[in-house]
Amino acid sequence: MTSYVIFWESEYVKKLEEYNDKGPLKVIYGSKYVVMPDLSMVNIGDIIYVVSVLEKKLCVMARLQVEKIENAFEYMYREFNSVDNTHIPEGTAIVSREKLGKFAIFNEGMGYLSSNGAHISCIAAIPRTVTRIIDKDTLSEVPHLFHQEPITRGAETAFSGENGSEIYPREVSEEDLPLLKFGWPKRKQRAVALRNGAPDPCSFRGYVRRMSDFTFEYLESLFK
């Protein structure tokens, strides 16, 4: 088992508050984007801690032990009937009726299937490799928590678990902050950088950080 830290921007934490999303934390998405960094090093059984900087304090927002790793599309489609904001996997096509005909989108392709008499410059044929066609217009959204939707478009992988923590700020005291060290390998571990006396979000933004043994024990203690 390995433990990692990822970062949520304070603006995203405010959105969670607006939607009254207090968890439990069910999923964390990985992608190539800063707000959803690459999580390819995370394995089943690993623990992900989510941190943020709120009112100049480092706060641990939530904890998730990973029980399942899958394509983000498959998670979203199964859990709340969403086929947006994620990469469509090979073998799947999404179709939707629009004013000029039925529009289809699939892995590395898109276009209209029929024009209903109107001129359309882009005509797409669903490839023979597609074995699953989902009609978006027939989907009814399933109630879900705000954080179950990706922070931005382009989610690639979903890391989920059934025993995630509640979502709320757990402050790290000024006295304890210098004791927490992040990075890998151990010889590269460093304390959180400060900016104007406050934890610098750049210490975490866009990265998935491992931590020292003491840091893991400290963060874990916040959830007991």
Side-chain angles (χ1 to χ4, degrees):
M1 179 189 74
T2 306
S3 299
Y4 299 91
V5 165
I6 66 167
F7 184 75
W8 280 348
E9 298 286 352
S10 60
E11 292 80 8
Y12 181 69
V13 173
K14 290 178 181 177
K15 283 189 176 181
L16 292 172
E17 294 173 351
E18 290 172 8
Y19 284 88
N20 196 32
D21 187 350
K22 300 177 181 178
L25 183 62
K26 294 179 177 292
V27 65
I28 294 172
Y29 293 100
S31 76
K32 60 184 178 181
Y33 301 106
V34 170
V35 294
M36 298 187 303
D38 178 21
L39 297 173
S40 58
M41 72 292 292
V42 177
N43 296 302
I44 291 175
D46 290 347
I47 298 174
I48 302 175
Y49 297 94
V50 184
V51 302
S52 188
V53 175
L54 306 175
E55 298 182 354
K56 298 185 177 182
K57 295 280 190 179
L58 181 67
C59 297
V60 185
M61 299 298 303
R63 173 192 188 275
L64 178 71
Q65 184 156 25
V66 177
E67 298 175 8
K68 188 170 186 177
I69 301 173
E70 61 187 312
N71 181 284
F73 179 95
E74 301 299 345
Y75 174 86
M76 295 165 59
Y77 180 46
R78 181 185 68 248
E79 293 295 323
F80 51 98
N81 271 351
S82 175
V83 293
D84 299 320
N85 298 331
T86 183
H87 295 290
I88 299 175
E90 293 185 11
T92 296
I94 310 299
V95 297
S96 177
R97 178 69 59 182
E98 300 208 354
K99 291 181 180 179
L100 298 179
K102 183 172 284 189
F103 192 78
I105 181 170
F106 43 88
N107 190 274
E108 297 184 356
M110 63 180 67
Y112 283 95
L113 298 176
S114 63
S115 64
N116 289 342
H119 173 72
I120 296 177
S121 59
C122 178
I123 305 297
I126 295 179
R128 294 181 180 179
T129 54
V130 169
T131 57
R132 176 177 59 171
I133 298 177
I134 299 172
D135 188 341
K136 181 178 177 180
D137 299 339
T138 66
L139 298 180
S140 297
E141 186 176 279
V142 175
H144 58 282
L145 296 173
F146 178 74
H147 79 264
Q148 288 182 269
E149 300 177 16
I151 296 175
T152 188
R153 290 181 176 275
E156 297 175 353
T157 312
F159 297 76
S160 60
E162 296 298 322
N163 297 295
S165 73
E166 291 183 74
I167 301 172
Y168 67 87
R170 301 160 178 87
E171 285 189 7
V172 175
S173 69
E174 292 183 8
E175 295 77 15
D176 293 328
L177 182 61
L179 303 177
L180 306 186
K181 298 185 183 300
F182 300 90
W184 196 259
K186 290 184 177 181
R187 59 184 173 81
K188 291 187 177 182
Q189 289 176 349
R190 299 289 186 272
V192 179
L194 301 180
R195 184 171 63 183
N196 298 326
D200 187 352
C202 292
S203 293
F204 299 100
R205 187 178 286 137
Y207 299 102
V208 180
R209 308 293 300 274
R210 287 183 64 173
M211 65 198 77
S212 68
D213 292 341
F214 173 83
T215 304
F216 164 70
E217 293 171 1
Y218 181 92
L219 267 57
E220 190 70 8
S221 71
L222 299 177
F223 295 88
K224 294 181 179 177

